[in-house]
Amino acid sequence: ARSVDFDGNDYLLAASSSDFTLTGDFTMECWFKSDNDSGVHVILNGRGSASSGGPVIYTNGNSLVFDNGTGAVATASNAVRIGQWYHVAGTISGNNWKLYLNGVQVASGTDSSSYSSSVGFMIGQSHHGNEGFDGQISNARVVKGTVIYTSSFRPPTEPLANVTNTELLCCNNSSVTGSTVTAGTITANGDPTASTDSPFDDPAGFKF
């Protein structure tokens, strides 16, 4: 029940691995809380630091976007506000792209992009380094080969687990670069910090 705090000029990068080549079905998800709604701020970046090679989830003002790496495939307009935790999930099944916010499908589209390059996975920044996320990200998970969500769902109320085919599960540790699962070593760039702020209730808070 932890998160990583980004200031817009830092990010995490899981090193290049064929396990991050997001061919076929997959799910990418996390919780996020933004401190800045001006311009584009990348949350999950499946192309890593490469100029192509994977999907991206980002905010653009108050919109939430699921992008194929060169253009938006699914966009939810007027969807998010600063200072509030959200669960976001992007899924691809065949050519069908779906974007969920707090368990509700808010956008969808079709796209036939085929990813084949072995890339890294970046959290909190775009490949060209000027669209950094300003806020907190918690429990970032990438599951390759499985569409976890096929219709609207109730967002998990506890930190995410290492389910079958999980390639990355991080931003859930007392260490910035700590992880439950990673296919490539995670490095911090800039000065992201570990935070105890999270979207999950503390059970101890209900004890008397």
Side-chain angles (χ1 to χ4, degrees):
R2 300 272 186 153
S3 64
V4 175
D5 195 343
F6 300 87
D7 64 10
N9 297 302
D10 44 32
Y11 60 92
L12 299 179
L13 178 63
S16 177
S17 169
S18 59
D19 291 330
F20 293 136
T21 304
L22 298 177
T23 56
D25 297 349
F26 68 87
T27 303
M28 52 197 294
E29 63 181 312
C30 70
W31 278 264
F32 72 94
K33 183 171 71 171
S34 176
D35 294 331
N36 189 331
D37 61 0
S38 176
V40 173
H41 299 278
V42 173
I43 304 168
L44 300 175
N45 177 2
R47 65 202 291 184
S49 56
S51 60
S52 63
V56 184
I57 294 176
Y58 58 86
T59 59
N60 186 357
N62 296 127
S63 296
L64 186 66
V65 183
F66 196 15
D67 190 298
N68 65 9
T70 59
V73 177
T75 300
S77 301
N78 198 33
V80 296
R81 296 290 183 270
I82 61 174
Q84 179 175 335
W85 279 107
Y86 295 95
H87 178 267
V88 61
T91 67
I92 298 179
S93 177
N95 291 339
N96 297 312
W97 293 49
K98 293 182 179 181
L99 182 63
Y100 297 90
L101 186 66
N102 289 342
V104 177
Q105 182 182 318
V106 290
S108 63
T110 57
D111 186 80
S112 59
S113 294
S114 178
Y115 304 113
S116 58
S117 300
S118 179
V119 296
F121 195 94
M122 188 178 288
I123 298 171
Q125 185 57 277
S126 65
H127 74 284
H128 45 68
N130 60 1
E131 295 171 336
F133 184 76
D134 184 4
Q136 293 79 46
I137 295 175
S138 179
N139 280 251
R141 182 170 71 176
V142 176
V143 181
K144 182 177 176 180
T146 304
V147 175
I148 301 291
Y149 312 111
T150 57
S151 61
S152 293
F153 59 94
R154 179 173 293 180
T157 57
E158 297 180 347
L160 296 177
N162 175 15
V163 298
T164 302
N165 296 326
T166 298
E167 304 295 350
L168 180 67
L169 177 53
C170 65
C171 298
N172 61 352
N173 196 282
S174 58
S175 166
V176 168
T177 57
S179 65
T180 302
V181 180
T182 181
T185 301
I186 299 173
T187 57
N189 294 264
D191 58 353
T193 58
S195 173
T196 57
D197 190 12
S198 85
F200 310 106
D201 288 327
D202 178 7
F206 297 97
K207 294 179 181 178
F208 295 93

